[in-house]
Amino acid sequence: MFHVSIRPLWTISDARGRSLGEHVVALLVQVSERGSLAAACEAVGVSYRHAWQLLREAEGLFGQPLLTMSRGRGSQLAPLGERLVWAHHRVQARLSPMLDSLSSELAAEIGKALAPDPGRLRIHASHGFAVQALKDFMDRAGLAHELKYCGGAEALEALTAGQCDVAGVHVPIGPFEAAAVAHHRRWLDPQRQRVIRLATRRQGLITRPGNPKKIFGIADLARPDVRFINRQAGSGTRFLLDLMLAEAGIDAAAVHGYEQCEFTHAAVAAFVASGMADVGMGVEVPAREFRLDFTPIQQERYFLVCHADRLESVAVQQLLAILTSADFRAAIDRLPGYAADELGQVQAIAEVLPGLLPRRTAAAGLRPGRRRGAAAAS
């Protein structure tokens, strides 16, 4: 099995064609994390002398310092150095999930050309850190798979059309669940599909360190002094936000930044951390990674949906073995805001989303008890 790796690479050039040297941004990132140039050199794999030469050339390019050094305090980023580091984080946060998805698709195509594998597991899923961890575990286990990140509704639509074997989607717990079920209803079939539990997680407001503008709830997003960064239309997080705004009686046009979007939770956090927004909505993991504040506002379940007749396939059984392993459970529980509740448990959709059952059973002329029994038997 071959693995394809695609990594974003960016640089800066001036009008004369002079470019920022290789490793400069990597050195600045490591200085911000480790607090010293010597430690940064060790992490990047360059000599201290070469690092200083690269930084002097870069400072000559910009005409401004990138680092400040003082006795007893190590190395610190100058304002321009900080902007370059946040630019790097934004590039990584915005592109990495899409490139990971593309890498998985390319690896699958190469694998098909070398050795056709009809048992390859095709997963379409809303991006999340539990899914990202699952991909790493599938890679290590040698489970042939193809992962595509997309919105939850798009993933379920692909499952219905036979374009994937497993769809990943998240649904809020509580009063917004009914609206989410109604949104996904056209692609959910309690008779043919089953749910595989993955995790529960917290969505919340990601704010700058110390939450200087005191943003604690959805109502605060409509304040004129608050700049917001949104998720793209079609994402589950955007759908949840719209439900919350409607419940609060807030017009989306009143939210400054509503139309400005990022495509991942990490990209939202990086946008806030760079100072270009005061708040965004997302999960807790990237907020902690970027040392930002996080105010939980909604808990939700992330689960995988597959057709019942695929449960006994070799690929899905391998998937279930990973999900129910102690190592994977520990990995999920280490993610801030995530919990491995009922991890790997296979359930009828009606057990997880009871609001779905009445309309379906009424349309099919079946009693709820009969449908539930059929689900348990399969």
Side-chain angles (χ1 to χ4, degrees), residues 299-370:
Q299 194 162 8
E300 59 187 11
R301 290 174 291 189
Y302 195 115
F303 50 79
L304 307 175
V305 181
C306 73
H307 290 299
D309 58 9
R310 288 286 292 153
L311 286 173
E312 298 304 320
S313 67
V314 172
V316 174
Q317 286 296 308
Q318 288 179 299
L319 173 67
L320 291 173
I322 292 172
L323 291 172
T324 55
S325 68
D327 287 344
F328 187 70
R329 173 177 290 277
I332 297 301
D333 283 334
R334 282 195 296 269
L335 295 172
Y338 277 73
D341 297 334
E342 302 179 280
L343 180 59
Q345 182 173 335
V346 179
Q347 295 178 279
I349 290 181
E351 295 179 30
V352 181
L353 302 174
L356 180 70
L357 189 57
R359 191 187 299 178
R360 286 281 190 172
T361 53
L366 294 175
R367 297 189 305 275
R370 183 177 171 188

Side-chain angles (χ1 to χ4, degrees), residues 114-299:
L114 293 172
D117 183 2
R120 184 179 302 274
L121 188 65
R122 300 167 302 164
I123 303 175
H124 289 198
S126 172
H127 180 261
F129 292 89
V131 177
Q132 192 170 307
L134 179 58
K135 181 186 185 304
D136 293 339
F137 272 74
M138 290 190 296
D139 286 339
R140 292 201 291 268
L143 172 54
H145 65 278
E146 179 180 342
L147 173 62
K148 178 181 179 180
Y149 287 126
C150 57
E154 185 180 345
L156 289 172
E157 185 177 10
L159 179 68
T160 302
Q163 297 169 357
C164 68
D165 305 300
V166 174
V169 63
H170 50 95
V171 172
I173 298 171
F176 298 114
E177 181 179 299
V181 169
H183 180 65
H184 296 311
R185 183 183 295 275
R186 76 187 78 171
W187 301 294
L188 292 171
D189 186 343
Q191 195 167 31
R192 296 182 57 220
Q193 296 170 343
R194 300 294 177 266
V195 164
I196 303 172
R197 301 291 289 269
L198 182 56
T200 59
R201 67 183 192 182
R202 296 190 295 192
Q203 290 263 21
L205 298 177
I206 300 172
T207 53
R208 298 171 70 181
N211 194 4
K213 293 198 173 179
K214 308 304 178 188
I215 303 166
F216 297 111
I218 293 297
D220 292 322
L221 302 184
R223 285 167 31 196
D225 65 321
V226 169
R227 298 169 301 159
F228 181 67
I229 178 65
N230 208 350
R231 287 291 305 279
Q232 80 280 11
S235 68
T237 301
R238 171 73 163 264
F239 178 71
L240 176 61
L241 171 69
D242 288 343
L243 291 176
M244 290 182 164
L245 290 175
E247 182 192 51
I250 298 173
D251 190 329
V255 179
H256 178 48
Y258 179 87
E259 298 299 334
Q260 190 164 10
C261 305
E262 290 287 358
F263 284 81
T264 68
H265 297 284
V268 166
F271 200 93
V272 174
S274 67
M276 292 184 290
D278 302 304
V279 59
M281 185 166 165
V283 296
E284 189 170 353
V285 175
R288 300 310 177 200
E289 289 178 349
F290 284 101
R291 302 183 182 90
L292 300 170
D293 280 20
F294 181 82
T295 303
I297 57 174
Q298 177 65 54
Q299 194 162 8

